[in-house]
Amino acid sequence: AMLKNIAREVWAFDLEWIPDVASGRRVYGLPNDMPDNEVLHLMWAKGGATDDNPQPFLKTILCRVVSVAAVIRKKNSDGSVNLKLMALPDTQSDEGHKALDEAVLLTRFLQGVGRAKPQLVGYNSHQSDIVIMVQRALAHGLWLPDFGARPNKPWEGVDYFAKGSDFNIDLKDSFAPFGKGTPSLHELASVSRIPGKLGTDGNDVINYWLEGRVREIVQYNECDALTTYLVWLRAANLAGLIRPEHYLMEQQQLRELLTQRSTAVGNEHISEFIQAWDQLQKT
């Protein structure tokens, strides 16, 4: 389904999550003193681990969200656009290398969504990102009235839960068939000369977590959000929602934002993203 419209505020977002040992203990009735690595291996075994796939994808309810990142695009009354790259934990702060309590992370992000009411844009977000956030918010007993609010009629307000909602866009649903023909975000982006994975993939996240490398998880997450935004921008151009000259201008605007960010300490991943983007543009 082609994109239909662009809201005044768009959040192209992505999450990272890992198996949650606390949830594993509760679901499988394991003792509190069982070491975390034993709990992890039992969770993977229950999830269908094999020699070829020792760390299978687990049900999202059994996982913990450890990072969220988004490119936020706001359109001003004069038609100009403001762009911002945000992440939780915030890698720009002194605490950016530390884990954030999951309930705090979800509350901050979903309260922000509920207040701003942006158009959410993800890749496989209908099947995974939105699902895990709602499941884990339920698990923590969070109170999120603004995010959860649903209008009586679709045209009376923003609804993140209505089928086909204009405010909950999954680019995978829009541009990818089901089954073996489904491209990954990396494949769709790379073919479109947009940077995808830069030497890290989702399987590395749990190892980074166990080694305390939280900042690197967030950096990986930020790159996925940037990729998602650039694919969305191209989709908006394809659908005629952005004029070709504005499409070029907005790419340049993102490049300027990233160039500014890349000069700060701890932003080597942003420099790598720009280099990969330049290289793909030359091919």
Side-chain angles (χ1 to χ4, degrees):
M2 195 73 79
L3 302 184
K4 285 194 287 189
N5 60 44
I6 299 176
R8 190 188 66 80
E9 191 162 331
V10 175
W11 292 19
F13 79 106
D14 184 66
L15 305 181
E16 300 305 331
W17 60 86
I18 57 166
D20 180 45
V21 290
S23 296
R25 285 191 177 93
R26 288 197 286 272
V27 169
Y28 299 119
L30 306 174
N32 287 334
D33 59 358
M34 180 184 274
D36 286 0
N37 64 333
E38 288 183 29
V39 176
L40 275 174
H41 282 99
L42 187 139
M43 291 174 75
W44 281 320
K46 297 274 191 187
T50 63
D51 289 343
D52 290 337
N53 184 20
Q55 298 180 1
F57 189 85
L58 298 181
K59 291 181 181 181
T60 49
I61 190 62
L62 294 172
C63 296
R64 168 184 172 168
V65 178
V66 294
S67 172
V68 57
V71 176
I72 297 177
R73 176 194 191 267
K74 288 185 187 177
K75 191 163 188 183
N76 303 312
S77 53
D78 64 359
S80 64
V81 166
N82 290 344
L83 289 180
K84 186 168 85 171
L85 176 62
M86 67 77 69
L88 295 171
D90 180 1
T91 53
Q92 301 308 292
S93 76
D94 293 335
E95 301 293 301
H97 63 287
K98 293 183 182 175
L100 200 57
D101 179 79
E102 186 186 33
V104 172
L105 186 151
L106 290 172
T107 299
R108 280 192 199 163
F109 184 71
L110 295 176
Q111 275 184 347
V113 170
R115 280 195 297 266
K117 291 282 194 277
Q119 201 169 34
L120 290 176
V121 176
Y123 196 86
N124 199 29
S125 49
H126 286 174
Q127 300 295 322
S128 57
D129 302 74
I130 297 289
V131 170
I132 191 172
M133 284 196 293
V134 172
Q135 287 178 344
R136 297 297 293 181
L138 184 75
H140 286 292
L142 303 184
W143 189 68
L144 298 164
D146 293 335
F147 173 68
R150 302 194 63 188
N152 291 322
K153 305 272 190 328
W155 56 87
E156 289 179 351
V158 174
D159 190 341
Y160 292 113
F161 305 99
K163 192 171 175 61
S165 166
D166 285 344
F167 282 85
N168 184 354
I169 294 169
D170 186 340
L171 294 169
K172 184 165 173 279
D173 285 357
S174 301
F175 294 98
F178 288 103
K180 289 185 177 177
T182 307
S184 65
L185 177 61
H186 171 72
E187 290 166 339
L188 187 63
S190 299
V191 171
S192 305
R193 296 188 178 88
I194 293 167
K197 303 296 182 196
L198 303 177
T200 302
D201 68 33
N203 296 327
D204 297 321
V205 172
I206 182 62
N207 298 324
Y208 284 179
W209 178 262
L210 294 173
E211 293 164 15
R213 295 159 66 184
V214 175
R215 191 187 289 270
E216 286 168 76
I217 295 173
V218 181
Q219 290 173 340
Y220 167 65
N221 195 183
E222 286 181 339
C223 288
D224 270 354
L226 290 167
T227 303
T228 303
Y229 175 73
L230 284 170
V231 170
W232 170 83
L233 194 62
R234 183 167 286 226
N237 176 66
L238 173 66
L241 299 174
I242 293 177
R243 297 185 64 82
E245 61 270 25
H246 291 156
Y247 174 52
L248 293 172
M249 280 167 51
E250 290 204 35
Q251 287 180 87
Q252 185 57 33
Q253 194 172 345
L254 182 67
R255 183 179 290 270
E256 287 165 10
L257 171 72
L258 296 182
T259 303
Q260 278 182 327
R261 271 286 289 269
S262 68
T263 59
V265 175
N267 280 298
E268 303 79 16
H269 64 301
I270 300 291
S271 299
E272 284 177 38
F273 191 92
I274 295 170
Q275 287 167 7
W277 198 2
D278 287 342
Q279 197 60 41
L280 286 163
Q281 296 299 313
K282 289 174 188 167
T283 58

